[in-house]
Amino acid sequence: MKTKIKELRKQYKLSQEELALAVGTTRQTITSIECGKYTSSLVLAYKIAKYFNLSIEEVFDFSEVEEI
Amino acid sequence: MEKYKKILKKRIIFLTIFVVFAVLLQIFIFYNGYEVADIESFRDELVGFQTGLLCSMIILFVFQIVRYIRAMKNDTQLKKLYNCENDERRKDIKQKSGGNVLLFSSVVIIFAGIISGYFNEVVSYTLIACAFFQLNLCALLKLYYSKKY
């Protein structure tokens, strides 16, 4: 799944480690989500979106899911 | 985090008790184990294996105790450790690689292997080989799923 996490991190000048610590996960998980290897759970997606004051749809691209 | 600190304290106590017990057992084996080895049915390799296993467990547990103590002194480290233990991706990988089941059954098989060593050497080595195969399989699966996700 495509996400805007990388762009948002750069905008907020955050490292993966800092974001991971803030949302209660590990740096490796953030890397995997950014690369599209791992699809995060609803809870983690909510935490990430809330951290950037955005909705889940604004951070995560659900177009691939909708196609199915 | 206070709840997690209490959990860590309990873990430290449990690990310390195990380390003390293992060190005492190690001392006992060092002074008495090789005397028993004179008996035909008892082999030196078995004492060597037990010594190696205990030593590695002591080192591993001491390392873990130090890790917990260091984390408890630093809030950031504590949160990192908590996140690491409760990370959903890690939990997924562990579940897919059969982490808990394979680890538990391997430990049981190793203990069975040690005990059976007092009765039958072939059975003992077969059980230990089986446990090591399981542990290697678990590690390989973990590596595979870590790369995949």
Side-chain angles (χ1 to χ4, degrees):
Chain A
M1 184 184 279
K2 286 176 189 170
T3 69
K4 285 181 186 167
I5 297 173
K6 202 173 182 178
E7 289 86 348
L8 288 164
R9 263 197 319 105
K10 281 184 181 170
Q11 196 183 317
Y12 282 76
K13 287 176 184 169
L14 274 172
S15 67
Q16 289 181 331
E17 187 80 51
E18 286 167 332
L19 178 63
L21 203 64
V23 296
T25 189
T26 57
R27 186 188 55 76
Q28 290 89 340
T29 304
I30 297 292
T31 311
S32 290
I33 295 170
E34 280 184 3
C35 296
K37 277 184 178 178
Y38 179 72
T39 308
S40 72
S41 70
L42 184 63
V43 178
L44 185 58
Y46 171 74
K47 279 181 184 173
I48 293 170
K50 199 183 171 190
Y51 184 80
F52 292 116
N53 289 317
L54 295 168
S55 65
I56 294 177
E57 291 94 329
E58 284 173 302
V59 180
F60 295 87
D61 181 15
F62 288 95
S63 56
E64 287 173 18
V65 183
E66 282 165 3
E67 279 171 22
I68 299 163
Chain B
M1 279 294 145
E2 286 305 311
K3 234 180 186 180
Y4 186 59
K5 267 188 182 177
K6 278 180 187 173
I7 293 170
L8 286 188
K9 272 180 192 172
K10 276 181 191 170
R11 281 188 202 169
I12 289 169
I13 291 166
F14 175 76
L15 289 175
T16 309
I17 290 168
F18 186 88
V19 167
V20 170
F21 178 74
V23 168
L24 289 174
L25 194 66
Q26 190 63 59
I27 292 165
F28 177 79
I29 290 172
F30 185 76
Y31 285 109
N32 301 301
Y34 290 97
E35 285 174 22
V36 186
D38 292 336
I39 302 166
E40 270 180 36
S41 61
F42 202 82
R43 292 178 64 92
D44 275 348
E45 290 90 13
L46 199 72
V47 180
F49 177 75
Q50 282 175 339
T51 309
L53 190 75
L54 273 174
C55 281
S56 52
M57 280 171 99
I58 290 167
I59 292 166
L60 204 73
F61 287 170
V62 167
F63 175 75
Q64 202 69 4
I65 290 168
V66 172
R67 194 175 163 218
Y68 288 155
I69 290 170
R70 281 179 70 184
M72 280 174 75
K73 285 179 182 171
N74 186 332
D75 281 347
T76 316
Q77 287 289 326
L78 186 72
K79 203 174 179 200
K80 269 186 190 173
L81 188 67
Y82 179 81
N83 289 349
C84 193
E85 281 185 17
N86 294 287
D87 182 41
E88 57 174 53
R89 182 175 151 271
R90 277 172 188 254
K91 278 182 181 173
D92 272 3
I93 291 168
K94 204 174 181 182
Q95 204 175 15
K96 283 191 174 164
S97 60
N100 289 336
V101 178
L102 284 180
L103 195 70
F104 179 75
S105 63
S106 298
V107 169
V108 170
I109 291 170
I110 285 174
F111 275 110
I114 291 169
I115 294 162
S116 66
Y118 292 102
F119 309 104
N120 192 319
E121 195 186 332
V122 179
V123 173
S124 172
Y125 284 129
T126 310
L127 284 170
I128 288 161
C130 178
F132 276 102
F133 172 75
Q134 274 196 344
L135 288 171
N136 281 323
L137 185 73
C138 184
L140 277 173
L141 283 172
K142 222 171 183 179
L143 201 71
Y144 170 73
Y145 283 114
S146 300
K147 291 273 174 197
K148 195 179 176 186
Y149 298 114

Coordinates of all heavy atoms in Angstrom, one line a residue, chain A residues 17 20-22 24-26 28-29 32 37-41 44, chain B residues 76 79-80 83-90 92 146-149:
Chain A
E17 N 13.0 6.9 13.4 CA 13.1 6.6 14.8 C 12.2 7.4 15.6 O 11.5 6.9 16.5 CB 14.5 6.8 15.2 CG 14.9 6.3 16.6 CD 15.1 4.8 16.6 OE1 15.9 4.3 15.8 OE2 14.5 4.1 17.5
A20 N 8.5 6.5 14.9 CA 8.3 5.2 15.5 C 8.0 5.3 17.0 O 7.1 4.7 17.6 CB 9.4 4.2 15.2
L21 N 8.9 6.1 17.7 CA 8.8 6.3 19.1 C 7.5 7.0 19.5 O 6.8 6.6 20.5 CB 10.0 7.1 19.6 CG 10.4 7.0 21.1 CD1 10.8 5.5 21.4 CD2 11.4 7.9 21.4
A22 N 7.1 7.9 18.7 CA 5.8 8.7 18.9 C 4.6 7.9 18.8 O 3.6 8.0 19.5 CB 5.8 9.9 18.0
G24 N 4.5 4.5 18.8 CA 4.5 3.2 19.5 C 4.8 2.0 18.7 O 4.2 0.9 18.8
T25 N 5.8 2.2 17.8 CA 6.2 1.0 17.0 C 7.8 1.1 16.8 O 8.4 1.9 17.5 CB 5.5 1.1 15.6 OG1 5.8 -0.1 14.9 CG2 5.9 2.2 14.7
T26 N 8.3 0.3 15.9 CA 9.7 0.3 15.7 C 10.1 1.0 14.4 O 9.3 1.1 13.5 CB 10.3 -1.2 15.7 OG1 9.6 -1.9 14.6 CG2 10.1 -1.9 17.0
Q28 N 11.9 -0.2 12.0 CA 11.8 -1.2 10.9 C 10.4 -1.2 10.4 O 10.2 -1.4 9.2 CB 12.2 -2.6 11.4 CG 13.7 -2.7 11.7 CD 14.1 -2.4 13.1 OE1 13.4 -1.7 13.8 NE2 15.2 -2.8 13.6
T29 N 9.4 -1.1 11.3 CA 8.0 -1.2 10.8 C 7.7 0.1 10.0 O 7.0 0.0 8.9 CB 7.1 -1.3 12.1 OG1 7.5 -2.4 12.8 CG2 5.6 -1.4 11.7
S32 N 9.2 -0.4 6.6 CA 8.4 -1.4 5.8 C 7.1 -0.7 5.3 O 6.7 -1.0 4.2 CB 8.0 -2.6 6.6 OG 9.2 -3.4 6.9
K37 N 5.9 -2.6 1.8 CA 6.1 -4.0 2.1 C 5.0 -4.5 3.1 O 4.6 -5.6 3.0 CB 7.5 -4.3 2.6 CG 8.6 -4.4 1.6 CD 9.8 -4.8 2.4 CE 11.0 -5.0 1.5 NZ 12.2 -5.3 2.3
Y38 N 4.8 -3.7 4.1 CA 3.9 -4.1 5.1 C 2.7 -3.1 5.2 O 2.8 -1.9 5.1 CB 4.7 -4.0 6.5 CG 3.9 -4.4 7.7 CD1 3.5 -5.7 7.9 CD2 3.5 -3.4 8.6 CE1 2.7 -6.0 9.0 CE2 2.7 -3.7 9.7 CZ 2.3 -5.0 9.9 OH 1.6 -5.4 11.0
T39 N 1.5 -3.7 5.4 CA 0.3 -2.9 5.5 C 0.0 -2.8 7.0 O -0.2 -3.9 7.7 CB -0.9 -3.6 4.8 OG1 -0.5 -3.8 3.4 CG2 -2.1 -2.7 4.8
S40 N 0.0 -1.6 7.5 CA -0.2 -1.5 9.0 C -1.7 -1.8 9.4 O -2.6 -1.8 8.6 CB 0.1 0.0 9.4 OG -0.9 0.8 8.9
S41 N -1.8 -2.0 10.7 CA -3.2 -2.3 11.2 C -3.9 -1.0 11.3 O -3.3 0.1 11.1 CB -3.0 -2.9 12.6 OG -2.6 -1.9 13.5
L44 N -2.6 1.3 14.1 CA -1.3 2.0 13.8 C -1.5 3.1 12.8 O -1.0 4.2 12.9 CB -0.3 1.0 13.3 CG 1.1 1.6 13.1 CD1 1.7 2.2 14.4 CD2 2.1 0.5 12.6
Chain B
T76 N 13.4 6.8 27.6 CA 13.3 6.6 26.1 C 13.7 5.2 25.8 O 13.0 4.6 24.9 CB 14.4 7.6 25.4 OG1 14.3 8.9 26.0 CG2 14.2 7.7 23.9
K79 N 10.7 3.0 26.6 CA 9.6 3.1 25.6 C 10.0 2.3 24.3 O 9.2 1.6 23.7 CB 9.3 4.6 25.2 CG 8.0 4.7 24.7 CD 7.5 6.1 24.4 CE 6.1 6.1 23.8 NZ 5.8 7.3 23.1
K80 N 11.3 2.4 24.0 CA 11.8 1.7 22.8 C 11.7 0.2 23.0 O 11.2 -0.5 22.1 CB 13.3 2.0 22.5 CG 13.5 3.2 21.6 CD 15.0 3.3 21.3 CE 15.2 4.6 20.6 NZ 16.7 4.9 20.4
N83 N 8.0 -0.7 22.8 CA 7.6 -0.7 21.4 C 8.1 -1.9 20.7 O 7.4 -2.5 19.9 CB 8.1 0.6 20.7 CG 7.3 1.8 21.2 OD1 6.3 1.7 21.9 ND2 7.9 3.0 20.8
C84 N 9.3 -2.2 21.0 CA 9.9 -3.4 20.3 C 9.2 -4.7 20.6 O 8.9 -5.5 19.8 CB 11.4 -3.5 20.7 SG 12.4 -4.6 19.8
E85 N 8.8 -4.8 21.9 CA 8.1 -6.1 22.3 C 6.7 -6.1 21.9 O 6.1 -7.2 21.7 CB 8.1 -6.2 23.9 CG 9.4 -6.7 24.4 CD 9.4 -6.9 25.9 OE1 8.3 -6.9 26.5 OE2 10.5 -7.0 26.5
N86 N 6.1 -4.9 21.7 CA 4.7 -4.9 21.3 C 4.4 -4.5 19.8 O 3.3 -4.2 19.5 CB 3.9 -4.0 22.2 CG 3.9 -4.5 23.6 OD1 3.2 -5.5 23.9 ND2 4.7 -3.9 24.5
D87 N 5.5 -4.5 19.1 CA 5.4 -4.1 17.7 C 4.5 -5.1 16.9 O 4.8 -6.3 16.9 CB 6.8 -3.9 17.1 CG 6.7 -3.5 15.6 OD1 5.9 -2.6 15.3 OD2 7.5 -4.0 14.8
E88 N 3.5 -4.6 16.2 CA 2.6 -5.5 15.4 C 3.3 -6.3 14.3 O 3.0 -7.4 14.1 CB 1.4 -4.7 14.9 CG 1.8 -3.5 14.0 CD 0.6 -2.9 13.3 OE1 -0.3 -2.5 14.1 OE2 0.6 -2.7 12.1
R89 N 4.3 -5.6 13.6 CA 5.0 -6.3 12.5 C 5.8 -7.5 13.1 O 5.8 -8.6 12.6 CB 5.9 -5.3 11.8 CG 6.6 -5.9 10.6 CD 7.4 -4.9 9.9 NE 8.5 -5.5 9.3 CZ 9.7 -5.6 9.8 NH1 9.9 -5.1 11.1 NH2 10.7 -6.2 9.2
R90 N 6.5 -7.2 14.2 CA 7.3 -8.3 14.8 C 6.4 -9.4 15.3 O 6.8 -10.6 15.2 CB 8.1 -7.7 16.0 CG 9.4 -7.1 15.6 CD 10.0 -6.4 16.8 NE 11.1 -5.6 16.4 CZ 12.4 -6.0 16.6 NH1 12.6 -7.0 17.3 NH2 13.4 -5.2 16.2
D92 N 3.5 -10.3 14.0 CA 3.1 -11.0 12.8 C 4.2 -12.0 12.3 O 3.9 -13.1 12.0 CB 2.8 -10.0 11.7 CG 1.4 -9.4 11.7 OD1 0.7 -9.8 12.6 OD2 1.0 -8.7 10.8
S146 N 11.0 -11.5 7.8 CA 11.6 -10.2 8.0 C 11.9 -9.5 6.7 O 11.7 -8.3 6.6 CB 12.8 -10.3 8.9 OG 12.5 -10.9 10.1
K147 N 12.4 -10.3 5.8 CA 12.7 -9.7 4.5 C 11.4 -9.4 3.7 O 11.4 -8.4 2.9 CB 13.6 -10.6 3.6 CG 15.0 -10.8 4.2 CD 15.9 -9.7 3.7 CE 17.3 -9.8 4.4 NZ 18.0 -8.5 4.2
K148 N 10.5 -10.3 3.8 CA 9.2 -10.1 3.1 C 8.4 -8.9 3.5 O 7.8 -8.2 2.7 CB 8.4 -11.4 3.2 CG 7.3 -11.5 2.2 CD 6.5 -12.8 2.3 CE 5.4 -12.8 1.3 NZ 4.5 -14.0 1.5
Y149 N 8.3 -8.7 4.8 CA 7.5 -7.6 5.4 C 8.4 -6.5 5.9 O 9.0 -6.5 6.8 CB 6.6 -8.1 6.5 CG 5.6 -9.1 6.0 CD1 5.7 -10.4 6.5 CD2 4.6 -8.8 5.1 CE1 4.8 -11.4 6.0 CE2 3.7 -9.7 4.7 CZ 3.8 -11.0 5.1 OH 2.9 -12.0 4.7

